[in-house]
Amino acid sequence: MNKKGVPGPRGGAWNASTIDGSRKRLNGILQYAGRIIWNRQRFIKVPETGKRISRENPREQWMTAEANNLHAHEGNWFL
């Protein structure tokens, strides 16, 4: 994608985590299966540093909706 000049989701270069994502967080293009998932994580502010850290919510709290029109691919890309 970078060689073809296609901008990444934030307008810059693509990186491996954008494509591969995280199996734990179920994100990334190769993980995408036509589902939108909300409430996967929450952010907690660390008082000592002022930084936010993410924490995964329990799966039973996740909210999902099918979005087949946004499905990333048909079939197997790796054949």
Side-chain angles (χ1 to χ4, degrees), residues 25-27 32 34-43 55-70:
R25 290 187 176 181
L26 300 176
N27 61 8
Y32 191 67
R35 271 187 315 275
I36 299 173
I37 305 173
W38 294 273
N39 202 37
R40 284 190 292 203
Q41 62 184 1
R42 65 189 182 285
F43 290 92
R55 293 290 180 249
E56 184 176 352
N57 287 328
R59 284 186 181 243
E60 53 272 3
Q61 291 181 6
W62 294 7
M63 298 181 292
T64 63
E66 295 300 318
N68 292 326
N69 58 321
L70 299 176

Side-chain angles (χ1 to χ4, degrees), residues 2-69:
N2 290 329
K3 287 181 183 178
K4 292 183 178 186
V6 177
R10 294 186 177 157
W14 290 85
N15 62 40
S17 64
T18 306
I19 304 296
D20 298 337
S22 163
R23 287 189 178 205
K24 182 177 180 183
R25 290 187 176 181
L26 300 176
N27 61 8
I29 291 173
L30 297 181
Q31 302 290 327
Y32 191 67
R35 271 187 315 275
I36 299 173
I37 305 173
W38 294 273
N39 202 37
R40 284 190 292 203
Q41 62 184 1
R42 65 189 182 285
F43 290 92
I44 301 169
K45 191 171 185 177
V46 178
E48 297 81 20
T49 63
K51 294 183 179 182
R52 296 181 331 144
I53 55 172
S54 64
R55 293 290 180 249
E56 184 176 352
N57 287 328
R59 284 186 181 243
E60 53 272 3
Q61 291 181 6
W62 294 7
M63 298 181 292
T64 63
E66 295 300 318
N68 292 326
N69 58 321

